[in-house]
Amino acid sequence: MKEFEYTITDADGIHARPAGELVKLCKEFKCDIKLMSGGKAGDCKKIFSLMSLGVKCGQNVTVTFKGEDEEEAYEKVSSFIKTNF
């Protein structure tokens, strides 16, 4: 299992447009990808799961990757998050 920690810098936090793009990217991978914040976890392959977390600017998130293609998913998803959030 791989893990990535990040502090959200986008003034709008995790909002609909980039969250939708994140879901689309995560669906390319077979591994389980979860985003955790404030004691709650969301499935990165489901938009409503991500949006229900209500992640705001300045909050820390942890993304976990578990499965056969976790290394490739870690590289691409962590890069996307750094660029878009």
Side-chain angles (χ1 to χ4, degrees):
M1 181 168 88
K2 302 228 15 123
E3 190 172 287
F4 168 71
E5 292 185 20
Y6 184 71
T7 301
I8 301 299
T9 57
D10 187 300
D12 295 324
I14 294 182
H15 53 100
R17 185 194 51 75
E21 292 175 13
L22 176 60
V23 168
K24 185 177 177 181
L25 174 63
C26 290
K27 284 183 175 183
E28 295 176 12
F29 302 102
K30 294 178 184 176
C31 65
D32 290 327
I33 306 171
K34 305 281 187 217
L35 186 140
M36 293 169 278
S37 180
K40 296 190 273 182
D43 185 341
C44 287
K45 296 180 182 181
K46 298 179 181 176
I47 186 75
F48 292 115
S49 183
L50 283 181
M51 297 305 296
S52 70
L53 298 175
V55 179
K56 307 287 184 214
C57 182
Q59 282 187 277
N60 293 324
V61 297
T62 303
V63 184
T64 59
F65 306 84
K66 186 176 181 182
E68 64 183 85
D69 55 358
E70 65 187 36
E71 189 68 42
E72 182 184 1
Y74 173 87
E75 296 300 323
K76 290 185 178 179
V77 172
S78 61
S79 177
F80 178 88
I81 290 173
K82 289 176 189 175
T83 303
N84 292 281
F85 297 114

